[in-house]
Amino acid sequence: MPLANIGNLIGIWIAGLLTLAVLSYILGDNPVYRLAQHLFVGIAAGYAAALAWNHVLAPRLTRLVQAPAEAWPVALFALLGLLLLARGWRPLAALSGIPLGLLMGTGAALALGGILTGTLVPQLAASFVPLAPAAYGGGVMGWALALDAAFLLLCTLAVLAAFQYHRAARGSLRLWYRGVQAMGRLGRLVMMVAFGAILAGAALSFFTILQSRLAFLVYEWLGSLAELGL
Amino acid sequence: MIACQECGHNNPESAQRCESCGAPLGPALYRECPACGALNAAERSTCSRCLAPLTAPPSGADASESASDSSFTQDEPTAGAPQEDDPLADLEGLLPPAAVPDPVSQPSRFASHESSEAERDDAALLHRIATEPAPLGQVRREDAPTGRERMPDGIRWLLYLLVLLAALAPLITGNRGQQWESPRPQTLLLAEAVADIAPGERVLVAFDYAPGYGGELDPLAERVLTDLARRGAVLVAISTRPEGVGLARQVLGRVATFAPDYRYGANYVILGYLPGAERGLRLATQDLAAILPHDDVLQMPWEQLPAMQGIGTLNDFEATLLLTDDGNSARRWIEQVGTQVDTPTYALATARIEPLLIPYQQSGQLAALVGGVYGALEYPLEDAPERHDLHSTDGYLALLGVFFLAAVLANVVPWRMHQN
Amino acid sequence: MRRVLPIAVTCLTGLVVLLGFFGNGDILGGWPNLLVEGAAFLAALALLMGVAHLALAHGRRAVRGEPQAGYSLVLVIAMLATFGLGVVLPGSAELAWVFDHLYTPLQATMTALLAFFVVSAAYRAFRLRHAEAVVLLITSLFMLLGQLAVSERLSPIIPALREWTLAIPVTAGVRGILLGTALGTLAATLRILTGIDRPQALE
């Protein structure tokens, strides 16, 4: 048997045992599960760190060593990185605000720009659809689609109303508040429909993954026994 | 006594882990970011990877307060700004806590509707299912008794057993359940778009899902990518998560065996890991080499690879295929990349987050949105790669039965049995 | 100094990046991209620092022989081995072996466990105490049914109704939530960028 195949076979066996170890959690927490859990956290953290090193830090530091004049910004980043490391050391603690401010500032600015151009404006634009049946070709179908569009708009507004909260209103605005409150109640029902869809989706996702793990155990793990002639 | 921070159970002083739910009792060494799953030192208040706030562990003494998900209970359901103390906080949950129906911290807020503790637990539970990314370090018991009401043990074991049997059902029945007779419009849309890709055209593939969801997304990804590869398209993989790089290698390695003479460097490339979430994506739309200098497999400047000639930014691809299991990272792609490039984005999502992306598909920001569960069965591909785990319709039928039974039992079992 | 510096840096970088985002990019030259690259570099470094901290904390536990020391030892060894392999042999078959046979099955099975817990969560959500629970129950059972091929055989209305549910109420529900969140984020990020709010991390 070639070496690669042996490696693969060993891998399948270990994967099978680890799968069983994690599945044992259904019966309750146990040392075997905890071992698998710690193994996983270690591998995941080590893998992420290696990738961060290989793809982000190493190429830049190499460039800095090879061509310091061109790669001067990397030196600056590295300096900021050192300040981040020095966060616990008093004399430099104040300066650690610079890298943190850089992280915050870029994150907030990009989040602001992204949410404005990528979510708020397009989603608002998509909410305001024509409500006239003629816009949908008229006839029974036109009416049906126009009704759908109106219902979509009503439901969206209702969900937004569900976010609003106010105390018992008095005076001239009482009727308005009551209207908003009623819309909010409808909004919560609409959200429950969305949650129902999400719950069903989550159940399907997790169940599919469970199926695939069991298929692995049956076909590949036990199947490898047949390969060994057992 | 030490009260568990997760479930409120009182444990003896010597206990290292909660006797009830298994959560660690001592001061936490590290915390998992609720948004991106990164591991952070316990004393950090924001995630080192994505800057999302790491919710402070609730004080052990106040067990009843800390019973439900702390990030959930602290939030105010006003104006959709659930965590006003941090700017990036509410970005990180596509479904903000405010969306959960029952006002939690102040039950009397809606005079007409006072929620019980159990209802709040349910809402918290649903919220968690809907918003939490796959657990990285530990799986919490979703059914840990968090309020006065809990599931009778007998019913829990019955339901667990039935779920297991349902998952094994296809092995017993041979999966004779028929597939969809008419694929969904979105699946057909994707298939048509793939058919329109000409040989040599380059498609960016974002492997933005965890290997944990591979069981659902791999079969769909494999079909669509095999289709593209057989049509001669050049596939270029990238990920905003480190583990996405390993996945890309796994999936593209298999795809290369299904398409004739499909080689690394000439026909497909794995670029690697884009750091810094929004930041990495933003820079990639401006200058790809500035953020990702090397490819992953050969560790060389990717501009030298034949497949990458003429590529400078993410705008130079014909289309983007976004494989995702996380509403937040999908939203980042749409916001940071979708707004900057003129080419279409097609999302292949897990069934769990598919509903969260529907508004983007309806608004045209996603050219198509296909779910992993049905997509793999429906996507038309001749001579498709065989898989044992191709999603089984018999299993789903059995699962529906289990859910139906749960719904009946939940309302038939006497109320008394649910009290602790 | 301690208080002003981070806020000043936040505001300044935020402003430059924002101008780069909305401007046509000529005014500020390469500065916005440079700042973003720097932040991405720092983010990756922070990830490494987090992992190092995890290794130190567990290493300390293992050395001191505290309870759970064995688990911590496994964690540290697994982490160092994977990291070493990833750094010395990037993109290698060995690293792929670890990813395929250890990382993937472990994480996939942990996710698979949620299949059990989602059912018990549903059991509790399905208690019909008020109108909202009824809506939730009906929708989720219907969406599960709509997933099945057999539903099309039962009635052609089921797939049509499923598509309608996704297109109208689900879209409206999620869109409303998206808009609400977006408005909140907008306000919060503006407060950060104008220095009104001091994020916790800068304290």
Side-chain angles (χ1 to χ4, degrees), chain C residues 82-101:
Chain C
T82 315
F83 179 71
L85 198 59
V87 169
V88 178
L89 298 168
S92 65
E94 288 78 9
L95 186 66
W97 188 91
V98 171
F99 190 84
D100 293 352
H101 298 299

Side-chain angles (χ1 to χ4, degrees), chain A residues 5-223:
Chain A
N5 279 6
I6 295 173
N8 192 41
L9 204 63
I10 295 172
I12 287 177
W13 263 87
I14 294 176
L17 293 175
L18 289 176
T19 302
L20 288 178
V22 176
L23 278 179
S24 74
Y25 188 70
I26 306 168
L27 301 173
D29 198 5
N30 61 70
V32 180
Y33 171 77
R34 267 187 251 166
L35 189 72
Q37 188 191 24
H38 282 77
L39 184 67
F40 173 68
V41 174
I43 292 171
Y47 191 84
L51 266 280
W53 173 258
N54 284 340
H55 286 252
V56 190
L57 304 175
R60 285 179 176 75
L61 296 176
T62 315
R63 213 171 62 206
L64 179 64
V65 173
Q66 285 169 350
E70 277 172 48
W72 64 266
V74 179
L76 202 66
F77 302 158
L79 189 72
L80 289 176
L82 286 178
L83 288 179
L84 203 60
L85 279 169
R87 229 192 140 190
W89 191 43
R90 249 176 179 263
L92 281 181
L95 290 177
S96 77
I98 300 175
L100 285 171
L102 179 64
L103 278 167
M104 277 286 162
T106 51
L110 291 178
L112 175 74
I115 210 129
L116 203 63
T117 57
T119 295
L120 207 55
V121 172
Q123 289 305 318
L124 275 176
S127 305
F128 293 103
V129 285
L131 300 178
Y136 300 94
V140 180
M141 209 53 208
W143 273 98
L145 289 175
L147 267 178
D148 267 0
F151 189 57
L152 178 65
L153 182 61
L154 177 78
C155 288
T156 310
L157 291 175
V159 174
L160 283 174
F163 279 77
Q164 294 303 322
Y165 134 76
H166 48 83
R167 294 189 170 74
R170 288 192 192 134
S172 56
L173 283 175
R174 198 177 54 204
L175 270 180
W176 164 254
Y177 280 137
R178 284 212 178 132
V180 173
Q181 213 165 21
M183 280 286 271
R185 246 173 265 140
L186 172 68
R188 283 161 31 145
L189 289 181
V190 174
M191 282 199 281
M192 275 330 224
V193 176
F195 271 118
I198 292 166
L199 179 67
L204 284 169
S205 274
F206 299 144
F207 184 75
T208 304
I209 293 157
L210 178 65
Q211 277 190 337
S212 111
R213 287 326 293 161
L214 294 177
F216 166 80
L217 282 180
V218 172
Y219 292 108
E220 290 187 47
W221 189 57
L222 292 180

Side-chain angles (χ1 to χ4, degrees), chain B residues 30 43 87 90 94 96 119 122 149 160 178 180-182 211-212 249-250 279 358 373 410-411 415 418, chain C residues 36 53-54 58 96 100 107 117 123-124 126-130 146-147 149 152-153 162 171 177-178 181 192:
Chain B
Y30 58 91
E43 61 271 18
D90 35 14
L94 251 183
E119 281 172 302
D122 291 347
E149 200 176 321
Y160 283 6
Q178 74 277 31
W180 274 103
E181 278 136 40
S182 42
R249 193 203 42 75
Q250 224 176 42
R279 304 170 191 88
I358 284 179
V373 166
N411 293 286
W415 182 262
H418 288 98
Chain C
V36 172
H53 189 277
L54 182 63
H58 277 278
D100 293 352
Q107 197 186 32
F117 304 145
Y123 174 88
R124 292 170 7 129
F126 285 168
R127 285 189 70 85
L128 303 177
R129 280 174 292 236
H130 45 87
Q147 172 64 34
E152 206 178 10
R153 289 257 174 96
R162 184 200 62 218
T171 302
I177 292 162
L178 275 178
T181 317
I192 292 284

Side-chain angles (χ1 to χ4, degrees), chain C residues 103-181:
Chain C
Y103 194 132
T104 305
L106 279 169
Q107 197 186 32
T109 316
M110 285 181 179
T111 315
L113 282 179
L114 296 174
F116 297 95
F117 304 145
V118 81
V119 174
S120 43
Y123 174 88
R124 292 170 7 129
F126 285 168
R127 285 189 70 85
L128 303 177
R129 280 174 292 236
H130 45 87
E132 283 160 14
V134 180
V135 174
L136 180 85
L137 187 147
I138 292 174
T139 322
S140 47
L141 286 184
F142 175 74
M143 293 313 275
L144 282 172
L145 175 69
Q147 172 64 34
L148 294 168
V150 71
S151 70
E152 206 178 10
R153 289 257 174 96
L154 287 176
S155 158
I157 296 172
I158 295 176
L161 190 58
R162 184 200 62 218
E163 294 296 316
W164 182 87
T165 311
L166 289 175
I168 308 294
V170 174
T171 302
V174 180
R175 180 174 285 157
I177 292 162
L178 275 178
L179 288 174
T181 317

Side-chain angles (χ1 to χ4, degrees), chain B residues 206-226:
Chain B
F207 279 87
D208 263 22
Y209 64 103
Y213 282 90
E216 179 183 358
L217 277 180
D218 283 356
L220 173 62
E222 243 172 70
R223 280 196 167 214
V224 177
L225 296 178
T226 302

Side-chain angles (χ1 to χ4, degrees), chain B residues 164-206:
Chain B
L164 192 66
L165 288 176
L168 289 168
L171 294 176
I172 301 157
T173 62
N175 195 24
R176 273 168 297 189
Q178 74 277 31
Q179 299 187 358
W180 274 103
E181 278 136 40
S182 42
R184 283 159 227 227
Q186 291 293 313
T187 315
L188 292 177
L189 220 74
L190 176 68
E192 281 165 21
V194 167
D196 280 345
I197 298 277
E201 285 189 335
R202 284 166 293 197
V203 177
L204 182 71
V205 189

Side-chain angles (χ1 to χ4, degrees), chain A residues 115 120, chain B residues 78-84 86-87 90-91, chain C residues 178-191:
Chain A
I115 210 129
L120 207 55
Chain B
T78 44
Q83 292 181 344
E84 298 202 341
D86 198 301
D90 35 14
L91 266 180
Chain C
L178 275 178
L179 288 174
T181 317
L183 286 170
T185 308
L186 206 65
T189 47
L190 274 175
R191 281 205 304 269

Side-chain angles (χ1 to χ4, degrees), chain B residues 227-280:
Chain B
D227 199 5
L228 278 164
R230 285 181 184 163
R231 289 171 193 279
V234 171
L235 301 173
V236 179
I238 203 167
S239 178
T240 61
R241 308 178 185 185
E243 67 268 30
V245 179
L247 263 177
R249 193 203 42 75
Q250 224 176 42
V251 173
L252 287 177
R254 273 200 301 269
V255 166
T257 63
F258 300 136
D261 207 21
Y262 206 67
R263 284 193 311 263
Y264 187 82
N267 305 100
Y268 72 102
V269 174
I270 298 169
L271 284 185
Y273 159 56
L274 272 182
E278 282 97 350
R279 304 170 191 88

